[in-house]
Amino acid sequence: MSSLPLAVLFLIFVAAAAAIWVAGISLSNQTDVLATRLHLGSAFGGLVLLAVATNLPEIAIVVSASAAGNVGVAVGNILGGIAIQTVVLVVLDGFGVRGGKPLTYRAASLVLVLEGALVVAVLAVVIAGTQLPASLIVWRLTPAPVLITVLWVVGLLLLQRAGKSLPWHEDGDAPDGQDRPRGHRRHHVEQQATHKGTSTAKSAVIFGVAAVVTLVAGVFLERSGDAIADHIGLSGVLFGATVLAAATSLPEVSTGITSVRNRDYQLAVSDIFGGNAFLPVLFLVGTLVSGQAILPHAERTDIYLTALAALLTLVYAAGLLFRPRRRVAGVGVDSLIVLVLYAAGIGGLVAIATS
């Protein structure tokens, strides 16, 4: 696509982003319907289905970039995606939550703190994996992505157990928080589908079509975005971590706002943390596709983005524990801190990428 004019590339990029937005919403809705009707909502298979479905744009981009040998875009999109999807919580706090109390006050739960801890644990393995030699690869596998995948699976099993019962008061839910059980939005979506006469088979077909559209749009998004970055002289890492990551986070914004407006605050935060914990698993996919040890080739910017994502996650984990009541500039104190840290972090990223 690099031979196409810049205006055409922008048009392709915007069209692909719009397709991901529309298909992503449909994909999320049908995932809720299928998970509820097949009784997967709280089961391990349901957690995996939800993680994969909500990150199909990133999967498409990682596979496309890895197959083309453009490892920098793949790594930047994964790690930049974690940082910017955490910032999505700022958007949900500011534009979705109604009333005087901020998002983390309403969503406070020890299970969510554990989900944030899983994100940080996975990111710690990512940083460790960057220090391993690139020659340490067998059968197109390297130790760090395998360990990340195992850690993610074990973490999901522990979270599934924690979601059923924790040996704490109110099973780890804070008082004066969410007044409805977590996940009620998904049941509401399924009830709407039933009311409209949508069968399980039809829901599965819509899911499949939306998945294909998302995957194809993700490829076009990555290819056109890479060409745009070349045209304007922007590094692949910087583009993947900012513009590309923001475009692939559009479905999370839409579904997250729907969750908080339905007062399912815990689900909104859980969807973000769950997606962020899953994204590093895509390093295993990228390694298998490219045949390269991706993490040992990580640039300074990649390690920097990993640290930034962990820092932003820890701020929200602290917010879930301390539950700030005040809203400043329309958001909670923790959301404001995350926004400032992210802006400063992107400034530092630009300085690193251009030095």
Side-chain angles (χ1 to χ4, degrees):
M1 286 190 180
S2 57
S3 60
L4 295 174
L6 184 60
V8 175
L9 291 172
F10 270 117
L11 192 62
I12 294 173
F13 186 87
V14 171
I20 286 176
W21 170 277
V22 175
I25 295 172
S26 180
L27 195 65
S28 175
N29 289 337
Q30 301 313 315
T31 299
D32 291 342
V33 173
L34 292 173
T36 301
R37 291 183 179 176
L38 300 177
H39 305 290
L40 297 175
S42 59
F44 179 78
L47 295 174
V48 175
L49 174 64
L50 292 169
V52 173
T54 55
N55 287 283
L56 276 174
E58 287 83 359
I59 293 173
I61 288 171
V62 168
V63 171
S64 175
S66 299
N70 201 348
V71 176
V73 169
V75 175
N77 180 248
I78 292 173
L79 299 178
I82 296 173
I84 205 164
Q85 283 187 185
T86 307
V87 177
V88 167
L89 291 174
V90 179
V91 178
L92 303 185
D93 197 359
F95 297 97
V97 177
R98 298 166 180 171
K101 295 172 183 175
L103 177 62
T104 49
Y105 181 90
R106 298 169 183 269
S109 165
L110 290 181
V111 176
L112 292 179
V113 176
L114 290 174
E115 291 186 18
L118 176 60
V119 175
V120 175
V122 168
L123 293 178
V125 178
V126 170
I127 293 176
T130 63
Q131 305 305 305
L132 295 175
S135 59
L136 195 59
I137 180 169
V138 179
W139 297 328
R140 301 175 78 92
L141 293 173
T142 57
V146 173
L147 179 57
I148 287 169
T149 305
V150 171
L151 183 61
W152 176 67
V153 171
V154 172
L156 287 188
L157 291 172
L158 291 176
L159 288 171
Q160 181 187 2
R161 179 177 177 182
K164 293 178 179 178
S165 177
L166 276 177
W168 289 78
H169 181 64
E170 299 291 343
D171 288 334
D173 288 333
D176 190 31
Q178 183 169 311
D179 57 358
R180 297 183 184 181
R182 171 176 164 176
H184 72 266
R185 190 215 74 191
R186 288 174 179 153
H187 293 285
H188 176 68
V189 171
E190 192 278 330
Q191 289 172 358
Q192 286 183 321
T194 300
H195 181 71
K196 293 177 181 178
T198 304
S199 65
T200 302
K202 182 178 179 180
S203 179
V205 171
I206 296 173
F207 178 93
V209 172
V212 171
V213 171
T214 302
L215 290 170
V216 173
V219 173
F220 277 97
L221 197 70
E222 185 274 324
R223 295 294 171 86
S224 60
D226 186 43
I228 290 172
D230 288 339
H231 271 277
I232 63 179
L234 191 65
S235 72
V237 172
L238 189 58
F239 185 84
T242 53
V243 180
L244 194 57
T248 56
S249 297
L250 290 175
E252 281 83 358
V253 174
S254 177
T255 56
I257 288 179
T258 301
S259 291
V260 296
R261 287 184 174 172
N262 285 323
R263 295 188 295 174
D264 204 342
Y265 310 107
Q266 292 182 5
L267 181 62
V269 177
S270 178
D271 282 348
I272 297 297
F273 281 173
N276 287 350
F278 171 75
L279 279 175
V281 175
L282 297 182
F283 284 123
L284 180 66
V285 178
T287 302
L288 288 170
V289 172
S290 67
Q292 302 180 49
I294 294 179
L295 282 175
H297 289 103
E299 303 289 342
R300 292 181 301 159
T301 49
D302 300 322
I303 300 173
Y304 178 88
L305 284 169
T306 306
L308 177 62
L311 179 61
L312 300 183
T313 303
L314 288 173
V315 171
Y316 269 122
L320 290 166
L321 287 173
F322 287 96
R323 304 182 70 199
R325 287 174 171 267
R326 293 182 57 192
R327 295 175 75 91
V328 181
V331 296
V333 175
D334 45 6
S335 291
L336 183 61
I337 293 172
V338 164
L339 188 61
V340 171
L341 287 175
Y342 182 74
I346 293 302
L349 182 65
V350 173
I352 294 173
T354 56
S355 64

